[in-house]
Amino acid sequence: MGTAEHYHPVLSIDIAGQPVPLPPNIGVDPTTGAMSALHTHEGDGTIHIEAHSVGEKFTLGQLFTQWGVALTPTQVGGVKAPVGQKVTVTSNGTRFPGDPADLRLEPDQRIKLTVG
């Protein structure tokens, strides 16, 4: 965890019309309390970026890797998109056309991830 840059994107996840909460303490060591630069505290979808240097790049895929949950163009966790469909990702209301794992996290960003 660093102090050179600090911002908070917010993620909401919707699977088959149901909200899925982003759990607290992703990226936080349960034994020591040490936090990675990319972590969560609450279960409200807020992602904390506390970087060691200005301009470090963080992606949605990094968060899901720390969470231990799969994120691909056709899958979130154990849920796959219907045949012929893909996971939909928007950033501040604009659809992100690539792999959701590649979405770069930014200050004041509102991210919506939808399956089904």
Side-chain angles (χ1 to χ4, degrees):
M1 188 174 83
T3 58
E5 194 164 43
H6 188 171
Y7 57 94
H8 302 102
V10 177
L11 172 63
S12 64
I13 303 170
D14 183 297
I15 296 183
Q18 298 297 313
V20 176
L22 185 65
N25 300 319
I26 295 171
V28 179
D29 185 298
T31 305
T32 66
M35 292 177 267
S36 71
L38 174 65
H39 60 274
T40 65
H41 292 291
E42 309 84 9
D44 65 357
T46 301
I47 303 166
H48 294 258
I49 307 289
E50 298 174 27
H52 292 287
S53 60
V54 174
E56 279 188 68
K57 294 181 172 103
F58 298 93
T59 65
L60 191 57
Q62 287 174 280
L63 176 71
F64 275 76
T65 296
Q66 286 188 353
W67 186 7
V69 171
L71 178 62
T72 73
T74 58
Q75 181 176 349
V76 176
V79 178
K80 293 186 178 184
V83 175
Q85 294 184 21
K86 294 191 177 221
V87 172
T88 301
V89 181
T90 60
S91 173
N92 295 332
T94 301
R95 189 169 180 161
F96 180 74
D99 184 331
D102 294 336
L103 178 69
R104 184 174 170 181
L105 301 177
E106 302 285 348
D108 302 317
Q109 184 179 35
R110 301 280 184 230
I111 304 161
K112 185 165 185 179
L113 190 61
T114 305
V115 181

XYZ file of all heavy atoms in Angstrom:
856
model
N 0.848 -1.169 0.000
C 0.000 0.000 0.000
C 0.890 1.228 0.000
O 1.854 1.302 0.740
C -0.903 -0.021 1.220
C -1.938 1.055 1.203
S -3.100 0.911 2.558
C -2.183 1.701 3.844
N 0.558 2.213 -0.829
C 1.355 3.423 -0.925
C 0.520 4.667 -0.719
O -0.696 4.609 -0.544
N 1.193 5.796 -0.780
C 0.505 7.069 -0.555
C 0.717 8.071 -1.685
O 0.224 9.184 -1.605
C 0.989 7.695 0.767
O 2.419 7.875 0.704
C 0.642 6.822 1.956
N 1.411 7.679 -2.746
C 1.688 8.622 -3.836
C 0.430 8.950 -4.635
O 0.294 10.059 -5.141
C 2.759 8.059 -4.764
N -0.466 8.004 -4.738
C -1.705 8.217 -5.483
C -2.812 7.431 -4.788
O -2.615 6.273 -4.424
C -1.532 7.760 -6.937
C -2.617 8.222 -7.852
C -2.236 8.091 -9.317
O -1.657 7.061 -9.700
O -2.540 9.023 -10.059
N -3.976 8.065 -4.615
C -5.062 7.434 -3.862
C -6.386 7.820 -4.536
O -6.716 8.999 -4.608
C -5.023 7.942 -2.422
C -5.952 7.233 -1.500
N -5.923 7.435 -0.146
C -6.932 6.332 -1.700
C -6.840 6.698 0.436
N -7.473 6.012 -0.492
N -7.118 6.819 -5.026
C -8.413 7.080 -5.647
C -9.319 5.867 -5.495
O -8.877 4.808 -5.049
C -8.257 7.518 -7.110
C -7.514 6.563 -8.010
C -8.192 5.617 -8.764
C -6.127 6.642 -8.148
C -7.515 4.757 -9.606
C -5.445 5.778 -8.987
C -6.143 4.844 -9.719
O -5.469 3.987 -10.546
N -10.597 6.051 -5.850
C -11.608 5.042 -5.548
C -12.597 4.814 -6.683
O -13.655 5.429 -6.709
C -12.397 5.456 -4.300
C -11.550 5.646 -3.109
N -11.188 6.888 -2.657
C -10.974 4.748 -2.281
C -10.427 6.748 -1.591
N -10.279 5.465 -1.340
N -12.314 3.900 -7.620
C -13.349 3.488 -8.567
C -14.419 2.683 -7.816
O -14.153 2.141 -6.731
C -12.614 2.583 -9.555
C -11.183 2.557 -9.153
C -11.043 3.244 -7.849
N -15.612 2.601 -8.383
C -16.700 1.845 -7.765
C -17.201 0.825 -8.782
O -17.458 1.157 -9.943
C -17.842 2.777 -7.309
C -19.001 1.972 -6.748
C -17.336 3.776 -6.278
N -17.357 -0.424 -8.333
C -17.777 -1.520 -9.191
C -19.126 -2.068 -8.742
O -19.328 -2.345 -7.558
C -16.739 -2.649 -9.128
C -17.092 -3.968 -9.820
C -17.258 -3.782 -11.330
C -16.032 -5.015 -9.514
N -20.039 -2.218 -9.696
C -21.276 -2.957 -9.426
C -21.315 -4.139 -10.380
O -20.907 -4.037 -11.540
C -22.516 -2.077 -9.579
O -22.658 -1.638 -10.907
N -21.790 -5.266 -9.857
C -21.858 -6.506 -10.630
C -23.311 -6.973 -10.647
O -23.960 -7.015 -9.604
C -20.960 -7.598 -10.001
C -19.514 -7.109 -9.889
C -21.047 -8.895 -10.811
C -18.616 -8.025 -9.076
N -23.789 -7.312 -11.836
C -25.159 -7.781 -12.009
C -25.111 -9.097 -12.768
O -24.593 -9.153 -13.885
C -25.946 -6.732 -12.792
C -27.398 -7.100 -12.945
O -27.693 -8.134 -13.583
O -28.238 -6.358 -12.439
N -25.624 -10.156 -12.140
C -25.663 -11.459 -12.793
C -27.117 -11.911 -12.876
O -27.782 -12.055 -11.842
C -24.797 -12.490 -12.052
C -23.333 -12.037 -12.112
C -24.980 -13.886 -12.655
C -22.338 -12.970 -11.506
N -27.590 -12.056 -14.103
C -28.972 -12.482 -14.371
C -29.970 -11.606 -13.628
O -30.943 -12.093 -13.060
C -29.158 -13.950 -14.021
N -29.711 -10.290 -13.603
C -30.633 -9.345 -12.983
C -30.495 -9.200 -11.486
O -31.233 -8.431 -10.874
N -29.546 -9.909 -10.883
C -29.351 -9.836 -9.437
C -28.010 -9.192 -9.104
O -26.981 -9.562 -9.680
C -29.384 -11.242 -8.822
C -30.697 -11.963 -9.008
C -31.843 -11.241 -8.322
O -31.749 -10.843 -7.175
N -32.938 -11.046 -9.051
N -28.005 -8.242 -8.174
C -26.727 -7.637 -7.788
C -25.864 -8.635 -7.015
O -26.370 -9.440 -6.229
C -27.140 -6.472 -6.887
C -28.505 -6.799 -6.410
C -29.137 -7.677 -7.453
N -24.568 -8.597 -7.285
C -23.598 -9.438 -6.577
C -22.637 -8.504 -5.868
O -21.962 -7.701 -6.507
C -22.823 -10.345 -7.565
C -21.744 -11.135 -6.843
C -23.784 -11.273 -8.294
N -22.581 -8.569 -4.541
C -21.713 -7.635 -3.815
C -20.237 -7.947 -4.012
O -19.841 -9.101 -4.145
C -22.124 -7.828 -2.355
C -22.736 -9.183 -2.291
C -23.315 -9.452 -3.659
N -19.452 -6.898 -4.041
C -17.996 -7.021 -4.028
C -17.608 -7.141 -2.556
O -17.925 -6.257 -1.762
C -17.369 -5.770 -4.654
C -15.860 -5.778 -4.828
C -15.439 -6.852 -5.823
C -15.388 -4.419 -5.313
N -16.964 -8.233 -2.151
C -16.734 -8.432 -0.724
C -15.675 -7.491 -0.143
O -14.820 -6.980 -0.864
C -16.262 -9.883 -0.641
C -15.769 -10.232 -1.980
C -16.496 -9.350 -2.960
N -15.752 -7.282 1.166
C -14.717 -6.495 1.829
C -13.409 -7.289 1.908
O -13.408 -8.509 1.797
C -15.293 -6.254 3.228
C -16.260 -7.355 3.449
C -16.788 -7.726 2.082
N -12.334 -6.561 2.060
C -11.005 -7.114 2.363
C -10.354 -7.926 1.257
O -9.485 -8.752 1.531
C -11.045 -7.904 3.672
C -11.452 -7.017 4.823
O -11.011 -5.871 4.921
N -12.323 -7.510 5.683
N -10.735 -7.677 0.004
C -9.960 -8.232 -1.107
C -8.606 -7.517 -1.060
O -8.537 -6.298 -0.926
C -10.644 -7.968 -2.463
C -11.979 -8.697 -2.554
C -9.720 -8.368 -3.622
C -12.808 -8.306 -3.768
N -7.523 -8.255 -1.168
C -6.191 -7.652 -1.152
C -5.697 -7.277 0.230
O -4.708 -6.563 0.364
N -6.376 -7.767 1.276
C -5.960 -7.511 2.655
C -5.591 -8.847 3.290
O -6.398 -9.776 3.308
C -7.090 -6.832 3.467
C -6.649 -6.605 4.905
C -7.515 -5.527 2.812
N -4.369 -8.940 3.806
C -3.918 -10.167 4.457
C -4.692 -10.354 5.755
O -4.648 -9.486 6.633
C -2.420 -10.081 4.745
C -1.874 -11.373 5.315
O -2.328 -11.783 6.411
O -0.978 -11.959 4.679
N -5.423 -11.474 5.898
C -6.249 -11.655 7.095
C -5.449 -11.813 8.383
O -5.953 -11.538 9.465
C -7.051 -12.924 6.791
C -6.290 -13.632 5.742
C -5.525 -12.594 4.978
N -4.190 -12.219 8.281
C -3.367 -12.412 9.477
C -2.706 -11.124 9.933
O -2.748 -10.782 11.111
C -2.280 -13.481 9.197
O -2.915 -14.669 8.749
C -1.478 -13.783 10.444
N -2.110 -10.399 8.979
C -1.331 -9.211 9.350
C -2.073 -7.901 9.132
O -1.684 -6.875 9.665
C -0.030 -9.152 8.532
O -0.371 -8.951 7.143
C 0.788 -10.418 8.698
N -3.104 -7.926 8.284
C -3.808 -6.693 7.943
C -3.105 -5.885 6.864
O -3.571 -4.819 6.478
N -1.965 -6.391 6.372
C -1.241 -5.695 5.301
C -2.122 -5.633 4.059
O -2.822 -6.594 3.732
C 0.060 -6.411 4.990
N -2.078 -4.483 3.373
C -2.923 -4.277 2.192
C -2.082 -4.096 0.942
O -1.054 -3.416 0.976
C -3.786 -3.027 2.388
C -4.821 -3.172 3.466
S -5.752 -1.651 3.724
C -4.770 -0.922 5.024
N -2.540 -4.684 -0.151
C -1.908 -4.421 -1.437
C -2.370 -3.043 -1.915
O -3.309 -2.463 -1.360
C -2.283 -5.492 -2.449
O -3.627 -5.373 -2.841
N -1.737 -2.544 -2.942
C -2.101 -1.228 -3.475
C -3.533 -1.204 -4.004
O -4.171 -0.163 -4.049
C -1.128 -0.825 -4.581
N -4.054 -2.345 -4.376
C -5.408 -2.501 -4.919
C -6.185 -3.370 -3.939
O -5.860 -4.549 -3.756
C -5.306 -3.180 -6.292
C -6.562 -3.580 -7.020
C -7.383 -2.361 -7.396
C -6.201 -4.365 -8.260
N -7.185 -2.802 -3.260
C -7.900 -3.556 -2.230
C -9.289 -2.991 -1.983
O -9.651 -1.954 -2.520
C -7.094 -3.559 -0.914
C -6.849 -2.197 -0.359
N -5.780 -1.405 -0.747
C -7.535 -1.460 0.557
C -5.815 -0.256 -0.099
N -6.877 -0.258 0.699
N -10.060 -3.718 -1.167
C -11.370 -3.236 -0.739
C -11.402 -3.228 0.789
O -10.632 -3.936 1.437
C -12.522 -4.133 -1.257
O -12.418 -5.434 -0.671
C -12.518 -4.230 -2.770
N -12.280 -2.413 1.338
C -12.514 -2.395 2.783
C -13.948 -2.804 3.082
O -14.197 -3.692 3.858
C -12.283 -0.992 3.375
C -10.873 -0.547 3.338
N -9.884 -1.121 4.111
C -10.265 0.426 2.627
C -8.734 -0.515 3.876
N -8.932 0.430 2.974
N -14.887 -2.131 2.466
C -16.306 -2.353 2.704
C -16.851 -3.319 1.654
O -16.157 -3.680 0.733
C -17.079 -1.024 2.594
C -16.514 0.116 3.407
C -15.372 0.874 2.725
O -15.095 0.654 1.531
O -14.737 1.682 3.409
N -18.094 -3.671 1.780
C -18.758 -4.494 0.778
C -19.652 -3.662 -0.122
O -20.657 -4.150 -0.616
N -19.267 -2.396 -0.345
C -20.128 -1.478 -1.095
C -19.683 -1.246 -2.538
O -20.216 -0.385 -3.220
C -20.222 -0.145 -0.365
C -18.893 0.599 -0.297
O -17.858 0.064 -0.760
O -18.883 1.728 0.240
N -18.697 -1.996 -3.008
C -18.229 -1.851 -4.388
C -17.078 -0.886 -4.561
O -16.528 -0.776 -5.658
N -16.679 -0.199 -3.499
C -15.563 0.745 -3.598
C -14.246 -0.018 -3.670
O -13.959 -0.872 -2.827
C -15.538 1.704 -2.389
O -16.772 2.413 -2.344
C -14.386 2.686 -2.492
N -13.471 0.309 -4.686
C -12.135 -0.258 -4.868
C -11.146 0.821 -4.433
O -11.218 1.954 -4.903
C -11.888 -0.637 -6.343
C -12.948 -1.618 -6.833
C -10.474 -1.179 -6.518
C -12.989 -1.778 -8.341
N -10.247 0.474 -3.560
C -9.242 1.425 -3.079
C -7.942 1.208 -3.844
O -7.428 0.089 -3.891
C -8.995 1.238 -1.579
C -10.178 1.571 -0.751
N -10.300 2.757 -0.060
C -11.313 0.877 -0.510
C -11.455 2.770 0.578
N -12.103 1.640 0.317
N -7.445 2.280 -4.434
C -6.142 2.273 -5.086
C -5.255 3.185 -4.240
O -5.538 4.379 -4.102
C -6.200 2.833 -6.523
C -7.265 2.130 -7.371
C -4.820 2.813 -7.167
C -6.970 0.725 -7.756
N -4.214 2.615 -3.670
C -3.261 3.382 -2.864
C -1.879 2.983 -3.355
O -1.266 2.052 -2.846
C -3.482 3.108 -1.380
C -4.884 3.556 -0.951
C -5.254 3.192 0.471
O -4.359 3.063 1.317
O -6.466 3.032 0.718
N -1.412 3.700 -4.384
C -0.216 3.323 -5.130
C 1.049 3.944 -4.558
O 1.025 5.014 -3.960
C -0.382 3.735 -6.589
N 2.167 3.244 -4.796
C 3.477 3.714 -4.354
C 4.015 4.840 -5.226
O 4.836 5.629 -4.769
C 4.477 2.557 -4.352
C 4.164 1.528 -3.313
N 4.357 1.740 -1.977
C 3.643 0.282 -3.427
C 3.979 0.672 -1.295
N 3.529 -0.230 -2.154
N 3.570 4.897 -6.474
C 4.042 5.960 -7.359
C 2.890 6.445 -8.232
O 1.974 5.688 -8.558
C 5.205 5.474 -8.223
O 4.820 4.396 -9.026
N 2.962 7.700 -8.617
C 1.941 8.304 -9.459
C 1.987 7.658 -10.837
O 3.059 7.434 -11.393
C 2.156 9.831 -9.557
C 1.189 10.456 -10.548
C 2.013 10.471 -8.185
N 0.824 7.334 -11.377
C 0.743 6.793 -12.727
C 0.789 5.282 -12.816
O 0.723 4.733 -13.910
N 0.900 4.585 -11.665
C 0.838 3.121 -11.733
C -0.494 2.725 -12.346
O -1.511 3.355 -12.083
C 0.944 2.504 -10.332
C 2.335 2.389 -9.806
C 2.385 1.600 -8.501
O 2.125 0.375 -8.525
O 2.671 2.226 -7.469
N -0.481 1.686 -13.153
C -1.706 1.232 -13.819
C -2.252 0.009 -13.109
O -1.524 -0.925 -12.786
C -1.408 0.926 -15.280
C -1.036 2.151 -16.076
C -0.775 1.813 -17.527
C -0.602 3.066 -18.320
N 0.737 3.405 -18.662
N -3.555 0.024 -12.884
C -4.258 -1.095 -12.269
C -5.447 -1.446 -13.148
O -6.058 -0.569 -13.748
C -4.727 -0.731 -10.858
C -3.591 -0.424 -9.927
C -3.162 0.882 -9.756
C -2.941 -1.441 -9.252
C -2.109 1.176 -8.910
C -1.884 -1.155 -8.397
C -1.465 0.157 -8.224
N -5.774 -2.740 -13.216
C -6.869 -3.186 -14.073
C -7.913 -3.949 -13.254
O -7.640 -4.436 -12.155
C -6.361 -4.110 -15.192
O -5.851 -5.314 -14.602
C -5.311 -3.426 -16.063
N -9.090 -4.062 -13.838
C -10.157 -4.832 -13.220
C -9.725 -6.290 -13.053
O -10.042 -6.934 -12.051
C -11.427 -4.724 -14.073
C -12.713 -5.239 -13.463
C -13.029 -4.549 -12.136
C -13.862 -5.038 -14.441
N -8.961 -6.793 -13.997
C -8.460 -8.162 -13.907
C -7.584 -8.394 -12.685
O -7.627 -9.466 -12.072
N -6.778 -7.399 -12.317
C -5.947 -7.525 -11.114
C -6.814 -7.690 -9.870
O -6.501 -8.498 -8.993
C -5.055 -6.297 -10.950
C -3.908 -6.239 -11.925
C -3.163 -4.930 -11.799
O -3.603 -3.908 -12.319
N -2.056 -4.962 -11.099
N -7.902 -6.936 -9.789
C -8.796 -7.050 -8.650
C -9.388 -8.459 -8.591
O -9.406 -9.097 -7.531
C -9.915 -6.014 -8.731
C -10.958 -6.121 -7.610
C -10.354 -5.676 -6.284
C -12.189 -5.319 -7.948
N -9.865 -8.965 -9.725
C -10.468 -10.297 -9.748
C -9.441 -11.380 -9.447
O -9.769 -12.380 -8.803
C -11.192 -10.534 -11.079
C -12.589 -9.999 -11.070
C -12.835 -8.633 -11.187
C -13.670 -10.849 -10.925
C -14.124 -8.124 -11.154
C -14.972 -10.355 -10.891
C -15.194 -8.990 -11.003
N -8.207 -11.206 -9.868
C -7.147 -12.162 -9.527
C -6.941 -12.199 -8.016
O -6.868 -13.280 -7.418
C -5.834 -11.798 -10.246
O -6.037 -11.922 -11.658
C -4.693 -12.709 -9.817
N -6.873 -11.029 -7.382
C -6.721 -10.990 -5.921
C -7.929 -11.599 -5.222
O -7.800 -12.221 -4.169
C -6.508 -9.562 -5.440
C -5.141 -9.038 -5.748
C -4.882 -7.692 -5.095
O -5.749 -7.069 -4.514
N -3.650 -7.253 -5.203
N -9.095 -11.407 -5.792
C -10.341 -11.939 -5.240
C -10.397 -13.458 -5.405
O -11.062 -14.160 -4.658
C -11.511 -11.261 -5.933
C -12.878 -11.549 -5.422
C -13.241 -12.262 -4.306
C -14.105 -11.132 -6.027
N -14.624 -12.296 -4.186
C -15.163 -11.605 -5.233
C -14.408 -10.384 -7.161
C -16.500 -11.369 -5.526
C -15.729 -10.147 -7.467
C -16.762 -10.630 -6.644
N -9.680 -13.975 -6.421
C -9.718 -15.406 -6.706
C -10.935 -15.805 -7.506
O -11.395 -16.952 -7.439
N -11.461 -14.858 -8.295
C -12.671 -15.072 -9.085
C -12.325 -14.870 -10.562
O -11.673 -13.893 -10.920
C -13.788 -14.095 -8.643
C -14.967 -14.137 -9.584
C -14.227 -14.418 -7.219
N -12.758 -15.804 -11.405
C -12.491 -15.717 -12.845
C -13.196 -14.508 -13.457
O -14.324 -14.177 -13.087
C -12.970 -16.985 -13.540
N -12.508 -13.847 -14.383
C -13.094 -12.757 -15.172
C -12.566 -12.883 -16.584
O -11.369 -12.690 -16.837
C -12.735 -11.392 -14.581
C -13.256 -10.189 -15.369
C -14.785 -10.184 -15.409
C -12.733 -8.889 -14.769
N -13.463 -13.249 -17.510
C -13.107 -13.389 -18.923
C -14.179 -12.680 -19.747
O -15.196 -12.243 -19.193
C -13.040 -14.876 -19.350
O -14.371 -15.409 -19.428
C -12.189 -15.711 -18.387
N -14.005 -12.593 -21.045
C -15.047 -11.979 -21.871
C -16.393 -12.705 -21.817
O -17.417 -12.138 -22.166
C -14.457 -12.015 -23.284
C -12.985 -11.987 -23.069
C -12.773 -12.821 -21.823
N -16.398 -13.968 -21.364
C -17.646 -14.731 -21.337
C -17.996 -15.296 -19.955
O -18.952 -16.057 -19.830
C -17.578 -15.917 -22.331
O -16.472 -16.755 -21.980
C -17.444 -15.425 -23.763
N -17.258 -14.900 -18.907
C -17.480 -15.509 -17.599
C -17.091 -14.575 -16.455
O -16.097 -13.878 -16.513
C -16.636 -16.782 -17.506
C -16.770 -17.543 -16.228
C -15.986 -18.843 -16.261
O -15.512 -19.276 -17.297
N -15.845 -19.466 -15.116
N -17.914 -14.609 -15.398
C -17.589 -13.960 -14.122
C -17.769 -15.021 -13.050
O -18.873 -15.544 -12.865
C -18.502 -12.753 -13.831
C -18.200 -12.185 -12.451
C -18.334 -11.681 -14.895
N -16.687 -15.370 -12.373
C -16.749 -16.453 -11.400
C -17.182 -17.730 -12.088
O -16.690 -18.060 -13.163
N -18.136 -18.431 -11.516
C -18.634 -19.670 -12.104
C -19.791 -19.470 -13.058
O -20.369 -20.440 -13.539
N -20.131 -18.197 -13.356
C -21.282 -17.912 -14.221
C -20.799 -17.545 -15.624
O -20.017 -16.603 -15.791
C -22.134 -16.759 -13.645
C -23.302 -16.443 -14.561
C -22.612 -17.095 -12.243
N -21.286 -18.300 -16.589
C -20.936 -18.027 -17.985
C -22.070 -17.282 -18.666
O -23.239 -17.502 -18.365
C -20.645 -19.326 -18.723
C -19.397 -20.006 -18.203
C -19.031 -21.205 -19.013
C -17.744 -21.795 -18.458
N -17.262 -22.907 -19.230
N -21.702 -16.407 -19.588
C -22.697 -15.687 -20.380
C -23.448 -16.689 -21.259
O -22.893 -17.722 -21.645
C -22.012 -14.633 -21.249
N -24.717 -16.392 -21.562
C -25.453 -17.273 -22.475
C -24.706 -17.430 -23.799
O -23.956 -16.539 -24.213
C -26.777 -16.531 -22.675
C -26.930 -15.685 -21.452
C -25.527 -15.275 -21.085
N -24.906 -18.560 -24.435
C -24.248 -18.852 -25.710
C -24.452 -17.691 -26.678
O -25.570 -17.187 -26.833
C -24.795 -20.171 -26.309
C -24.204 -20.418 -27.695
C -24.480 -21.331 -25.379
N -23.369 -17.247 -27.280
C -23.423 -16.150 -28.248
C -23.355 -14.765 -27.615
O -23.323 -13.772 -28.332
N -23.339 -14.687 -26.296
C -23.248 -13.393 -25.610
C -21.923 -13.281 -24.864
O -21.212 -14.267 -24.694
C -24.407 -13.230 -24.628
C -25.751 -13.142 -25.297
C -26.852 -12.889 -24.273
O -26.620 -12.415 -23.177
N -28.077 -13.217 -24.655
N -21.626 -12.070 -24.436
C -20.412 -11.802 -23.681
C -20.758 -11.022 -22.424
O -21.844 -10.466 -22.301
C -19.416 -11.002 -24.523
C -18.902 -11.778 -25.705
C -17.745 -11.076 -26.356
C -17.238 -11.958 -27.484
N -15.831 -12.020 -27.580
N -19.814 -10.983 -21.519
C -19.925 -10.137 -20.339
C -19.921 -8.693 -20.823
O -19.119 -8.320 -21.687
C -18.735 -10.390 -19.387
C -18.717 -9.392 -18.247
C -18.768 -11.821 -18.869
N -20.834 -7.885 -20.319
C -20.899 -6.473 -20.691
C -20.245 -5.643 -19.597
O -20.518 -5.840 -18.413
C -22.369 -6.022 -20.844
O -22.989 -6.838 -21.842
C -22.453 -4.566 -21.253
N -19.387 -4.715 -20.015
C -18.720 -3.825 -19.069
C -18.928 -2.397 -19.531
O -18.716 -2.075 -20.707
C -17.204 -4.097 -19.006
C -16.530 -3.183 -18.006
C -16.929 -5.535 -18.662
N -19.357 -1.544 -18.600
C -19.413 -0.109 -18.892
C -18.542 0.624 -17.881
O -18.409 0.208 -16.725
C -20.843 0.460 -18.845
O -21.384 0.267 -17.544
C -21.734 -0.190 -19.887
N -17.953 1.697 -18.347
C -17.149 2.581 -17.516
C -17.726 3.976 -17.667
O -17.718 4.527 -18.773
C -15.689 2.539 -17.965
O -14.927 3.502 -17.265
N -18.269 4.497 -16.575
C -18.931 5.804 -16.600
C -19.990 5.878 -17.692
O -20.127 6.878 -18.381
C -17.914 6.939 -16.725
C -17.013 7.023 -15.516
O -17.398 6.647 -14.412
N -15.799 7.499 -15.707
N -20.719 4.758 -17.868
C -21.822 4.713 -18.818
C -21.442 4.371 -20.238
O -22.312 4.169 -21.076
N -20.149 4.278 -20.542
C -19.686 3.959 -21.892
C -19.244 2.506 -21.946
O -18.452 2.062 -21.105
C -18.507 4.867 -22.294
O -18.942 6.222 -22.237
C -18.012 4.541 -23.690
N -19.755 1.786 -22.922
C -19.404 0.371 -23.050
C -17.923 0.206 -23.364
O -17.375 0.886 -24.233
C -20.250 -0.283 -24.131
C -20.071 -1.775 -24.146
C -21.081 -2.436 -25.012
N -20.842 -3.877 -24.962
C -21.723 -4.759 -25.297
N -22.911 -4.382 -25.731
N -21.450 -6.047 -25.224
N -17.292 -0.716 -22.643
C -15.888 -1.074 -22.874
C -15.873 -2.262 -23.820
O -16.426 -3.320 -23.489
C -15.214 -1.417 -21.542
C -13.768 -1.802 -21.669
C -12.804 -0.842 -21.935
C -13.378 -3.128 -21.523
C -11.468 -1.195 -22.054
C -12.041 -3.489 -21.632
C -11.087 -2.517 -21.899
N -15.252 -2.137 -25.006
C -15.380 -3.181 -26.019
C -14.445 -4.376 -25.858
O -14.659 -5.404 -26.481
C -15.035 -2.431 -27.310
C -14.089 -1.364 -26.866
C -14.546 -0.965 -25.495
N -13.430 -4.275 -25.033
C -12.433 -5.343 -24.942
C -12.698 -6.336 -23.834
O -13.805 -6.441 -23.300
N -11.652 -7.072 -23.500
C -11.683 -8.036 -22.404
C -11.905 -7.267 -21.103
O -11.164 -6.332 -20.808
C -10.344 -8.777 -22.368
C -10.281 -9.882 -21.336
O -10.974 -9.801 -20.298
O -9.515 -10.836 -21.564
N -12.913 -7.620 -20.318
C -13.184 -6.873 -19.088
C -11.980 -6.828 -18.137
O -11.808 -5.867 -17.401
C -14.367 -7.592 -18.452
C -14.570 -8.836 -19.201
C -13.855 -8.738 -20.494
N -11.144 -7.866 -18.168
C -9.966 -7.898 -17.306
C -8.979 -6.781 -17.654
O -8.184 -6.366 -16.812
C -9.279 -9.256 -17.384
N -9.040 -6.280 -18.876
C -8.105 -5.242 -19.329
C -8.559 -3.823 -19.005
O -7.816 -2.871 -19.249
C -7.884 -5.346 -20.840
C -7.170 -6.627 -21.227
O -6.460 -7.210 -20.382
O -7.338 -7.058 -22.394
N -9.758 -3.660 -18.463
C -10.257 -2.315 -18.160
C -9.356 -1.657 -17.131
O -9.145 -2.180 -16.034
C -11.689 -2.368 -17.629
C -12.282 -1.016 -17.233
C -12.525 -0.155 -18.478
C -13.551 -1.199 -16.447
N -8.817 -0.517 -17.490
C -7.942 0.218 -16.578
C -8.784 0.959 -15.545
O -9.778 1.615 -15.884
C -7.085 1.208 -17.362
C -6.099 1.930 -16.473
C -5.163 2.787 -17.269
N -4.399 3.627 -16.360
C -3.514 4.494 -16.732
N -3.267 4.662 -18.018
N -2.867 5.216 -15.850
N -8.401 0.868 -14.282
C -9.102 1.553 -13.206
C -8.640 3.001 -13.132
O -7.447 3.284 -13.248
C -8.837 0.831 -11.875
C -9.270 -0.645 -11.858
C -8.900 -1.286 -10.534
C -10.750 -0.786 -12.142
N -9.608 3.912 -12.956
C -9.352 5.354 -12.975
C -10.037 6.029 -11.795
O -11.022 5.507 -11.262
C -9.909 5.954 -14.277
C -9.365 5.361 -15.559
C -7.960 5.811 -15.891
O -7.463 6.762 -15.262
O -7.356 5.206 -16.794
N -9.584 7.226 -11.428
C -10.269 7.980 -10.368
C -11.724 8.279 -10.740
O -12.034 8.524 -11.911
C -9.456 9.277 -10.268
C -8.111 8.924 -10.812
C -8.371 7.902 -11.884
N -12.596 8.244 -9.747
C -14.021 8.598 -9.901
C -14.750 7.776 -10.960
O -15.763 8.204 -11.493
C -14.178 10.090 -10.202
C -13.556 10.946 -9.121
O -13.746 10.622 -7.931
O -12.866 11.916 -9.458
N -14.265 6.611 -11.242
C -14.847 5.747 -12.261
C -15.995 4.930 -11.670
O -15.915 4.441 -10.546
C -13.747 4.816 -12.774
C -14.108 3.907 -13.897
C -12.888 3.081 -14.302
O -12.080 2.706 -13.459
N -12.758 2.811 -15.582
N -17.050 4.765 -12.446
C -18.181 3.909 -12.098
C -18.203 2.790 -13.116
O -18.404 3.017 -14.316
C -19.499 4.674 -12.143
C -19.547 5.854 -11.207
C -19.854 5.392 -9.802
N -19.996 6.535 -8.912
C -19.365 6.635 -7.755
N -18.557 5.700 -7.353
N -19.541 7.671 -6.984
N -17.995 1.569 -12.642
C -17.899 0.395 -13.510
C -19.111 -0.498 -13.258
O -19.459 -0.753 -12.103
C -16.617 -0.412 -13.217
C -15.378 0.481 -13.349
C -16.519 -1.625 -14.136
C -14.159 -0.081 -12.667
N -19.717 -0.971 -14.341
C -20.807 -1.934 -14.219
C -20.447 -3.158 -15.047
O -20.123 -3.049 -16.223
C -22.140 -1.347 -14.695
C -23.269 -2.306 -14.461
C -24.619 -1.679 -14.569
C -25.662 -2.728 -14.196
N -26.999 -2.204 -14.253
N -20.536 -4.304 -14.402
C -20.217 -5.590 -15.021
C -21.511 -6.392 -15.025
O -22.133 -6.585 -13.975
C -19.163 -6.258 -14.147
C -18.438 -7.491 -14.593
C -17.659 -7.224 -15.874
C -17.471 -7.925 -13.491
N -21.948 -6.837 -16.226
C -23.234 -7.520 -16.347
C -23.072 -8.839 -17.101
O -22.432 -8.887 -18.147
C -24.242 -6.632 -17.112
O -24.324 -5.369 -16.471
C -25.619 -7.269 -17.145
N -23.692 -9.894 -16.539
C -23.756 -11.198 -17.211
C -25.225 -11.576 -17.296
O -25.928 -11.608 -16.282
C -23.003 -12.291 -16.427
C -23.080 -13.615 -17.183
C -21.571 -11.909 -16.156
N -25.682 -11.885 -18.524
C -27.047 -12.361 -18.711
C -28.121 -11.342 -18.699
O -28.202 -10.295 -18.284
